[in-house]
Amino acid sequence: MSVDVVIIVTALLVVAPCALLGCFLLLRRSVMVGDAISHAALPGIVLAFLLTGSLGPLAAVAGAAAFGLLTVVLVDLLERGGKVRGDAATGIVFTGLFALGVLLVARYGGNVHLDLEHVLFGEIAFAPLHVLTVGGVDLGPRSWWTTGTVAVLAVAVVALLYKELKVTTFDPALAAVVGISPVLVHHVLMALVSVTVVGAFDSVGAILVVALLAGPAATAYLLTDRLGLMLVTAFGVGAVAVLGGYGLAVVWDLSIAGMIASAVGAAFLLALLAAPRHGLVGAAVLRRRRRTVLRRRLVAHAARALGEAATTAQLAARLQWPVSQVERVRARLD
């Protein structure tokens, strides 16, 4: 099987859950939870090794998943206590757990290669080297099975709970009134994010996952105001970033994960500048058009009030504008 196909398909399978979940995290202002989970998983990886003695990916992912869910629970407990804001709670939990992981590595992992750089930074170029074999039968790239399972799970949950996710995201009070528990939906979403981040550890690394969680969603947010279209746009942006980033990485002989993340950033910057309504250029043009329309209406109103025979000087005096500005506006009206 082609190496290019394995890498691209693996990345696209990561894009699917990240794009969908990233949109809801962005709208809930919780997008950095993914980064928190990726760092807080470190002590789970170390403890999994200490308990099992195995350096295999299954033990590492299991330990990371346990601490990913623990991160979500601890952040939620701090927020619900009312003493700590959400962003502060996230920062406290993930830095504390990450520091615990560093201490565990320093204390117990000095003579063992835990491959933490692979887990945290990832190298998607290694995906074709790892195959899943059951009973001597080659079932294809292991990354396809892990990321594919996560992608199917995320898409299925979002499809089934789309209404609940939508109403709890935009109006939690209304959701509670109609019988939908915002807390329960939030826990389901956070658990799904944890599974997504951890599930991609062995294939692409947490840093690329965080980039795909935040970047495509933020880009889509600038391009549309409709949730359904935002989800589709986020996936499209992520897919284009994967294809473009991989192509450039091959041509320039650069890190594939780094180039894909850079392509995501470039897409966001392009949208920030050129988005029709919310981009910097588009917003400036829209404001200018609105000012022009307002000026024309003001001049037309003043002309009606003073009579059609009103001179430019009279209109300028009434509006307290420079005569030259009134002349420009009248010329456009004519």
Side-chain angles (χ1 to χ4, degrees):
M1 185 177 295
S2 170
V3 171
D4 297 333
V5 172
V6 173
I7 293 175
I8 291 174
V9 172
T10 298
L12 291 176
L13 289 175
V14 175
V15 167
C18 286
L20 296 180
L21 300 178
C23 290
F24 289 105
L25 291 177
L26 180 71
L27 294 171
R28 291 166 177 254
R29 301 183 180 182
S30 302
V31 73
M32 290 312 294
V33 168
D35 185 53
I37 292 172
S38 68
H39 286 80
L42 178 58
I45 298 170
V46 181
L47 289 176
F49 163 72
L50 295 177
L51 292 174
T52 64
S54 172
L55 294 173
L58 292 180
V61 169
F67 269 75
L69 294 175
L70 177 62
T71 302
V72 172
V73 172
L74 291 177
V75 170
D76 184 64
L77 288 175
L78 288 176
E79 284 188 77
R80 291 172 61 184
K83 301 296 184 181
V84 182
R85 289 173 56 88
D87 53 351
T90 302
I92 291 170
V93 171
F94 99 74
T95 52
L97 291 179
F98 185 70
L100 174 63
V102 173
L103 293 176
L104 289 175
V105 171
R107 180 66 180 83
Y108 299 106
N111 298 322
V112 180
H113 176 55
L114 294 177
D115 201 17
L116 297 178
E117 290 185 359
H118 180 198
V119 173
L120 292 178
F121 298 101
E123 183 48 77
I124 195 173
F126 294 157
L129 303 179
H130 304 291
V131 297
L132 180 64
T133 304
V134 177
V137 179
D138 184 354
L139 299 180
R142 188 175 65 197
S143 61
W144 287 11
W145 289 93
T146 55
T147 58
T149 301
V150 171
V152 170
L153 177 64
V155 172
V157 172
V158 170
L160 290 173
L161 300 180
Y162 179 77
K163 179 182 67 176
E164 289 78 4
L165 286 167
K166 183 176 182 179
V167 69
T168 55
T169 296
F170 292 106
D171 197 339
L174 175 62
V177 169
V178 299
I180 301 174
S181 173
V183 175
L184 178 60
V185 175
H186 175 74
H187 285 166
V188 171
L189 177 62
M190 291 298 106
L192 200 56
V193 172
S194 179
V195 171
T196 298
V197 173
V198 173
F201 274 0
D202 187 50
S203 301
V204 302
I207 289 181
L208 181 56
V209 177
V210 174
L212 293 175
L213 271 173
T219 304
Y221 182 76
L222 294 172
L223 297 175
T224 179
D225 294 325
R226 296 173 54 192
L227 179 58
L229 186 57
M230 180 181 177
L231 297 177
V232 175
T233 302
F235 176 76
V237 170
V240 171
V242 165
L243 296 175
Y246 180 72
L248 292 175
V250 172
V251 171
W252 294 338
D253 192 21
L254 297 173
S255 166
I256 297 173
M259 199 65 242
I260 293 175
S262 298
V264 171
F268 172 75
L269 289 177
L270 181 61
L272 181 63
L273 291 174
R277 292 185 59 186
H278 303 296
L280 297 178
V281 176
V285 171
L286 185 60
R287 286 195 300 270
R288 184 172 181 179
R289 288 178 179 175
R290 287 174 176 172
R291 286 197 298 267
T292 300
V293 171
L294 180 59
R295 288 169 182 166
R296 292 179 181 178
R297 289 178 178 176
L298 286 173
V299 171
H301 176 74
R304 285 195 300 269
L306 295 175
E308 295 298 331
T311 65
T312 301
Q314 289 175 323
L315 291 174
R318 183 177 182 86
L319 295 172
Q320 296 183 350
W321 287 2
V323 174
S324 58
Q325 185 175 0
V326 175
E327 288 177 344
R328 288 196 300 269
V329 175
R330 292 195 75 177
R332 292 173 182 172
L333 288 172
D334 296 337

